[in-house]
Amino acid sequence: MTVLRAIDARVIVSLVVVLAASGARAQSVAFKHQATVYRDAKDGKLSAPEGVACNDAGLLVIADTGNARLLTYFVKEGAVTPAAEVKVPQLKHPVRLQLDSKGNMLVLDRKLRKIARLDAKGAFQGYVDLKPAGVTEVVPTSFKVDRGDNLYVLDTAAAKVFVADSSGAVTATLPLPADAGAFMDVAVDAGGIVYVLDAVRATVWSAAKGATAFSPLGKSFKDYASFPTYLTANNRGVLLAVDQNGAGLVLLGQDGSYLGRQLSLGWTDGLLYYPSQICLDAQGDAFVADRSNNRVQMFTSIAQ
Amino acid sequence: MSARPFILVLAVAALAGPAAAAPPAPKFKLKPGAAGQVCLECHPDFADRLKKPFVHTPVRSKDCVGCHNPHASDHGKLLAADANAICATCHKDVVAKNAKSTHPPATQQKCGECHDPHASNAKANLVKAGPDLCATCHKTLVDGAKASKFKHRAVENGCGSCHEAHASATGLKLLKADVPQLCLGCHKVDGPILMKKHMNYPVAKARCTSCHDPHGSNVRGMLYNTVHAPVAKGMCGQCHEAPGSPRGFEPKQAGLALCRGCHVQNINKMMDKNRLHRPVTEGAACLSCHGPHASKEKGLLKADMRTVCGSCHADTIKRGDMSVTKHEPIKNSECTSCHDPHGSDAALMLVKAESPELCGKCHDWQKHSSHPVGAKYVDPRNKNLTLQCLSCHRAHGTEFKSMMPYATVPETCTKCHEKFTR
């Protein structure tokens, strides 16, 4: 199986993939290893980091899951500099991270099954408490924040995606498709299209802005992914799925078509071992929480 | 009018008839019996076969050329067509197009796996009679049925009591009808004895095989060998509404809440883990993996672990199947040897976070007589990792020997020991 084959990181890391996203002119993107974050400001080791968030101001936040903390870094000209540690008792097992437009941190705690909200300095502000009609309790599996600070919460126990505005008021509820495997993530692109990712069947479903139901987006990409668990969209609308068990990234067009696969299994810089989350900034840099390698890696994605 | 001329005409016609229908003279001046009788001159063993109680029609009528070409053939045994296809020239539509379930030998036209094309002591020219034939492939099932303490009479009468041989139009697993209709053909569940056995619950609409092993069991009532305690004690009301209630057979509560009533300690323990296996709280919750009544499997699992776990983790199962070296727990479908299916503090739901400890459960000697592993040894490839078993092996295997991620041992070793790279 090709995903099992590791390639040497000293060679340029990844494949060059032709991105021909739905009718747009063909573009190429290469992912190249830029830097690796192994330590905090006090030279403490990262442990099984599962979350990573970044913004255009050069802020990088890591959910250092194994150490039950968040770490902040500054990114400038390809260099990543440690900043601060955020360790609050309200976070037991931080996993997925998002930043809102003000630099506030939203983090999913898998143990507590809650989304915590921290301000830009790391002070705990409370847990997100959505109150959709007819639902006793929202139990988040995953979530995303869009540019307007709207929150998209995937609740697989309720089999729904709840959309809430920045005040926490639920503005829409989307039922998850019934005929599916296991939904692992929700994503939203710049145009407001909401996506959900089924890891078991390796399929993406989408709902256009204002739609009341999801419909399948293209075919299953099971031939190209083992167990995709995280989904995000870049600023061109290309979808990137993190293939946790296959140690790589799968790129999909806006119509769900398979565009290519990047990165592969390994332990040296540039390779992945059970990756869990990816964050893309406006410069096209990508940060990958490389969980079982106990590190976060930075890649430059070069449009060609 | 006299009838004599009319009778005469009939008589002439009767005489002329056979002459008109007589076959033309043999084209190749064939000897009498050339279609089969002649064959016996060189194949005398067929004389014994012809004495068997069940003889294939072309053989009995000594029409060997019905299946064989006497001169030459592109197929083995001088068959006139491919061995997998020749039976279908006469036995068409053995497998109906819209069958609900089919038997692979029938769909693959491997008729010879069950039938003798010439003669047999068993009905339908079967190569063996009764369950012995089915045991050729379904040995575990047939042996289990024979050894069971409480036997199902239908099984003793032969697999064909409940199963079709080629295909079933109405039932899964080749059953002649779906459960419970099939069972109700013999078992009158509305009679006083079975009503009492079922605590007066209206089981006529229930799936009998969710509790009973139709092939026999060592548990009274032919329940599967692993029985949920309330079922064994006849305390159905612990989970179900009372019989005759408007909600019928409905459970008293949904999902985890119902199971928590008895399994509170286990559930609290799993809920306290950093990682909770998602099926525990989602969908059918506990019933995603466990049966509520009885099961063949330990822990009331719905099926063997490979099947249950593989229903979501097919990629992992596939990786194990493709592996050159087979890891014993994977080969034996023992996922829980390494993973906790409910919850864990470790990644990948492992029962122990550190692989030397985990792997050492079986590979104890390698904890102290192998390549240095453990917290003291930093992985040269990654300063945040220490050397573990999984530094060089993948537990579910790879396409390379010894479950290594690289094709050769030197290739694996030189990832760290770079100075030895050639």
Side-chain angles (χ1 to χ4, degrees):
Chain A
M1 203 163 123
T2 50
V3 293
L4 294 177
R5 292 178 196 278
I7 54 173
D8 199 306
R10 289 165 299 186
V11 183
I12 290 232
V13 169
S14 190
L15 309 169
V16 173
V17 179
V18 175
L19 300 180
S22 2
R25 67 188 170 80
Q27 291 178 313
S28 301
V29 167
F31 268 30
K32 184 183 176 186
H33 177 251
Q34 179 70 31
T36 301
V37 180
Y38 283 103
R39 302 291 166 100
D40 62 16
K42 294 176 184 170
D43 204 32
K45 287 180 185 176
L46 270 63
S47 173
E50 293 199 35
V52 63
C54 54
N55 66 15
D56 298 343
L59 174 64
L60 171 69
V61 185
I62 294 170
D64 188 16
T65 309
N67 291 318
R69 62 180 181 172
L70 307 182
L71 295 169
T72 61
Y73 294 81
F74 295 118
V75 182
K76 194 174 179 184
E77 294 170 357
V80 184
T81 312
E85 176 193 67
V86 176
K87 189 152 185 158
V88 294
Q90 293 87 352
L91 281 181
K92 306 287 183 198
H93 197 71
V95 285
R96 292 183 172 179
L97 260 172
Q98 294 279 284
L99 292 171
D100 71 11
S101 61
K102 299 175 191 70
N104 296 318
M105 298 173 239
L106 288 102
V107 55
L108 173 65
D109 189 304
R110 187 181 283 139
K111 183 169 186 172
L112 302 176
R113 289 178 280 279
K114 289 178 178 176
I115 298 169
R117 196 185 285 274
L118 291 84
D119 69 14
K121 291 181 180 171
F124 178 73
Q125 302 293 301
Y127 296 111
V128 170
D129 187 18
L130 301 186
K131 299 279 186 196
V135 177
T136 317
E137 185 189 10
V138 174
V139 182
T141 302
S142 187
F143 75 105
K144 287 288 189 314
V145 175
D146 70 10
R147 290 175 181 180
D149 292 343
N150 296 302
L151 195 60
Y152 300 77
V153 178
L154 171 68
D155 179 347
T156 45
K160 288 183 172 67
V161 169
F162 299 108
V163 185
D165 63 20
S166 55
S167 71
V170 175
T171 55
T173 299
L174 288 161
L176 291 174
D179 182 24
F183 288 102
M184 288 289 179
D185 200 18
V186 60
V188 57
D189 69 12
I193 300 174
V194 184
Y195 304 91
V196 282
L197 172 67
D198 177 348
V200 170
R201 298 193 185 171
T203 50
V204 174
W205 298 68
S206 70
K209 198 170 185 176
T212 55
F214 286 102
S215 46
L217 184 73
K219 294 177 183 171
S220 165
F221 54 101
K222 193 74 186 166
D223 288 348
Y224 311 107
S226 295
F227 200 72
T229 53
Y230 187 84
L231 188 71
T232 193
N234 75 7
N235 53 15
R236 293 187 187 89
V238 171
L239 297 168
L240 286 95
V242 176
D243 183 8
Q244 177 191 271
N245 293 10
L249 304 174
V250 175
L251 287 87
L252 304 170
Q254 287 171 340
D255 58 357
S257 56
Y258 172 73
L259 298 178
R261 192 181 159 86
Q262 303 216 356
L263 308 178
S264 57
L265 172 80
W267 294 262
T268 48
D269 283 347
L271 301 176
L272 305 176
Y273 192 36
Y274 292 104
S276 55
Q277 188 177 357
I278 186 170
C279 172
L280 304 164
D281 69 13
Q283 288 76 46
D285 294 332
F287 299 87
V288 179
D290 189 9
R291 184 188 73 193
S292 294
N293 269 325
N294 290 341
R295 66 191 179 191
V296 167
Q297 299 199 68
M298 178 183 177
F299 297 89
T300 51
S301 55
I302 310 155
Q304 294 177 331
Chain B
M1 182 182 160
S2 168
R4 190 170 293 174
F6 180 65
I7 291 168
L8 190 63
V9 168
L10 278 180
V12 169
L15 288 170
K27 198 175 174 182
F28 302 111
K29 296 183 181 176
L30 288 171
K31 286 172 73 173
Q37 185 64 47
V38 169
C39 307
L40 299 179
E41 291 172 15
C42 293
H43 299 280
D45 54 314
F46 270 82
D48 288 340
R49 295 197 195 190
L50 284 163
K51 289 175 191 164
K52 288 193 175 183
F54 300 95
V55 183
H56 196 194
T57 310
V59 179
R60 188 191 295 129
S61 55
K62 301 192 177 78
D63 180 24
C64 304
V65 296
C67 299
H68 300 277
N69 186 313
H71 299 126
S73 169
D74 288 334
H75 309 286
K77 299 183 189 298
L78 287 176
L79 283 170
D82 183 82
N84 289 344
I86 196 161
C87 306
T89 53
C90 292
H91 302 279
K92 294 179 172 50
D93 302 326
V94 166
V95 178
K97 277 180 187 168
N98 298 322
K100 201 167 177 181
S101 57
T102 55
H103 200 191
T107 51
Q108 294 161 14
Q109 296 185 316
K110 292 180 177 171
C111 310
E113 289 191 1
C114 299
H115 300 278
D116 188 309
H118 299 118
S120 163
N121 291 323
K123 200 176 169 184
N125 273 20
L126 292 172
V127 292
K128 288 180 194 170
D132 288 344
L133 172 65
C134 306
T136 313
C137 294
H138 306 280
K139 190 173 185 327
T140 311
L141 198 62
V142 172
D143 287 353
K146 280 182 184 168
S148 61
K149 192 173 168 187
F150 298 95
K151 293 182 169 56
H152 192 186
R153 197 178 301 156
V155 175
E156 293 182 298
N157 292 340
C159 309
S161 305
C162 299
H163 298 278
E164 299 282 4
H166 300 124
S168 170
T170 50
L172 294 171
K173 298 184 177 184
L174 294 173
L175 288 174
K176 289 181 169 175
D178 263 337
V179 177
Q181 284 75 24
L182 179 66
C183 311
L184 296 177
C186 295
H187 303 282
K188 306 299 173 200
V189 290
D190 52 357
I193 297 171
L194 287 188
M195 280 294 281
K196 191 179 172 193
K197 290 268 184 195
H198 290 116
M199 312 295 158
N200 294 320
Y201 278 97
V203 292
K205 290 177 184 169
R207 190 163 184 81
C208 312
T209 49
S210 73
C211 296
H212 299 284
D213 189 333
H215 299 113
S217 152
N218 293 328
V219 178
R220 186 172 290 282
M222 259 174 46
L223 293 169
Y224 288 110
N225 289 342
T226 309
V227 187
H228 196 193
V231 176
K233 293 173 191 166
M235 298 165 79
C236 311
Q238 275 199 356
C239 301
H240 292 280
E241 295 288 353
S245 105
R247 292 184 63 220
F249 242 144
E250 291 287 303
K252 285 179 169 173
Q253 284 178 292
L256 196 64
L258 179 64
C259 306
R260 193 191 284 270
C262 293
H263 301 279
V264 61
Q265 283 183 321
N266 280 347
I267 290 175
N268 284 349
K269 200 173 155 190
M270 63 180 87
M271 298 293 273
D272 197 41
K273 298 286 183 186
N274 287 339
R275 296 159 194 277
L276 184 67
H277 197 199
R278 287 199 17 201
V280 171
T281 53
E282 293 175 15
C286 310
L287 302 187
S288 304
C289 303
H290 301 278
H293 301 125
S295 168
K296 280 182 193 173
E297 305 293 331
K298 202 175 157 189
L300 283 171
L301 275 183
K302 279 180 169 179
D304 63 283
M305 283 187 210
R306 178 187 165 90
T307 307
V308 172
C309 304
S311 64
C312 288
H313 301 286
D315 65 303
T316 306
I317 299 290
K318 187 177 170 187
R319 182 143 38 104
D321 288 347
M322 291 168 69
S323 180
V324 173
T325 303
K326 304 294 182 193
H327 196 188
E328 281 292 313
I330 293 159
K331 194 169 76 180
N332 300 333
S333 297
E334 292 166 347
C335 309
T336 53
S337 295
C338 302
H339 301 277
D340 188 318
H342 298 119
S344 169
D345 286 333
L348 304 171
M349 312 284 292
L350 293 172
V351 293
K352 289 181 188 288
E354 300 298 315
S355 63
E357 285 304 308
L358 175 60
C359 306
K361 284 183 2 177
C362 296
H363 305 277
D364 182 59
W365 64 275
Q366 290 206 330
K367 284 164 68 178
H368 46 79
S369 338
S370 182
H371 189 284
V373 289
K376 287 191 288 185
Y377 304 98
V378 175
D379 189 325
R381 301 165 300 180
N382 177 333
K383 63 183 179 182
N384 272 10
L385 296 177
T386 54
L387 289 175
Q388 309 267 322
C389 310
L390 297 178
S391 302
C392 300
H393 303 280
R394 298 209 74 197
H396 289 266
T398 69
E399 65 269 53
F400 310 119
K401 273 186 188 174
S402 305
M403 305 192 298
M404 289 188 302
Y406 305 101
T408 62
V409 172
E411 201 181 333
T412 303
C413 300
T414 53
K415 294 294 174 200
C416 294
H417 303 280
E418 291 178 330
K419 64 180 180 180
F420 297 112
T421 307
R422 289 178 186 168

